[in-house]
Amino acid sequence: MPGTITALRLHRRHRQRVEVYLDGERAFSLTLLEAARLRRGQTLSDEEIAALRERNAREEAHEDALRYLRYRARSAAEVERYLLGRGHSPDVVAAEVQRLRESGLIDDAEFARAWVEERERLRPRAPRALRQELRQKGLDEETIAQAIAGVDAEASAYEAARARAARLSGLDYVQFRRRLGGFLARRGFDDQVTYRVIARLWQEQRGAAPPQANDEESP
């Protein structure tokens, strides 16, 4: 049913928004620009009220999304999950994700590329481990494949293991291989890559090839 505006009050926490009261009850809030079109005593139709509430819902979702993106980049799926968790309707969330895409504030391809680059720089992972991490971020397989296409598993394993190998320099080969092999396995590297990297690091430390291992002792 129609409602009459009885008050327009500046929001206590969000100073760029105005709370609109209809017939003495808080109905919704609007931006300062939108609220400037309203006045006390103005009667709004059902259609006008519905449109203003929809606008309010979209702006609140946008503000929540911007706060969520303030600390680091996010995938579209992360933003969607977050906004749904905040109680926004699926239609409003879909519109907000599209708005963020169009403005360049979310870009799954760029997010995936930056994620892989950061991992390679700080905590190298095997391509399959990177793939799993990006799946958990909600990225599609094509985007993931493009992001990890340039990852060299053996080079990544070597970078991941260098510092750890230095701390294991006092161990015999069996212990060295077992400890370093477990470390690389936890980062998703397969046995062949792990074997070659361990052999390389041992040779760099000791100046000689590693001793031959029994089959059951291979990493």
Side-chain angles (χ1 to χ4, degrees):
M1 59 183 295
T4 300
I5 299 174
T6 52
L8 296 166
R9 297 175 183 168
L10 198 61
H11 199 290
R12 290 182 179 179
R13 288 184 302 164
H14 306 293
R15 308 304 287 180
Q16 299 302 310
R17 297 186 69 80
V18 172
E19 295 181 312
V20 180
Y21 287 74
L22 297 178
D23 302 319
E25 300 289 334
R26 183 190 180 282
F28 45 82
S29 68
L30 298 170
T31 64
L32 289 173
L33 181 61
E34 291 168 336
R37 302 187 182 100
L38 306 178
R39 66 184 186 281
R40 287 181 61 187
Q42 180 180 353
T43 298
L44 301 176
S45 68
D46 288 345
E47 292 76 14
E48 288 173 322
I49 292 171
L52 289 171
R53 281 184 168 144
E54 175 70 13
R55 205 169 301 162
N56 172 53
R58 292 197 177 202
E59 283 307 307
E60 287 183 343
H62 188 58
E63 289 171 2
D64 279 347
L66 292 181
R67 280 193 293 272
Y68 188 54
L69 291 167
R70 184 179 302 161
Y71 303 104
R72 69 166 177 83
R74 311 277 183 175
S75 69
E78 285 182 300
V79 173
E80 182 179 346
R81 287 194 293 261
Y82 175 77
L83 292 177
L84 290 172
R86 295 279 296 175
H88 298 287
S89 73
D91 287 347
V92 167
V93 170
E96 176 58 21
V97 169
Q98 183 61 28
R99 177 180 180 179
L100 294 170
R101 279 197 172 109
E102 290 172 355
S103 65
L105 289 174
I106 54 175
D107 181 331
D108 279 353
E110 175 59 22
F111 174 86
R113 185 202 62 75
W115 181 273
V116 171
E117 184 179 274
E118 185 76 356
R119 280 302 200 204
E120 286 288 277
R121 186 170 66 87
L122 297 177
R123 293 175 63 83
R125 295 277 195 280
R128 65 180 179 182
L130 292 170
R131 184 183 298 276
Q132 183 59 32
E133 288 182 344
L134 292 173
R135 281 174 178 161
Q136 291 171 354
K137 299 297 180 183
L139 301 180
D140 63 76
E141 292 300 321
E142 182 179 354
T143 300
I144 293 172
Q146 291 174 352
I148 66 175
V151 176
D152 182 324
E154 190 161 332
S156 295
Y158 178 78
E159 288 302 317
R162 274 198 308 167
R164 180 61 60 95
R167 296 199 293 271
L168 302 177
S169 60
L171 302 180
D172 63 35
Y173 181 66
V174 172
Q175 292 176 311
F176 179 85
R177 186 186 66 241
R178 186 170 296 146
R179 298 273 291 276
L180 203 53
F183 171 78
L184 290 172
R186 290 191 294 275
R187 296 205 175 190
F189 295 103
D190 64 34
D191 288 349
Q192 290 185 339
V193 166
T194 296
Y195 179 83
R196 291 193 295 269
V197 167
I198 290 173
R200 177 182 173 185
L201 288 166
W202 177 267
Q203 185 156 7
E204 288 177 356
Q205 281 189 7
R206 307 302 175 94
Q212 293 296 313
N214 296 327
D215 290 343
E216 65 271 15
E217 293 180 337
S218 60

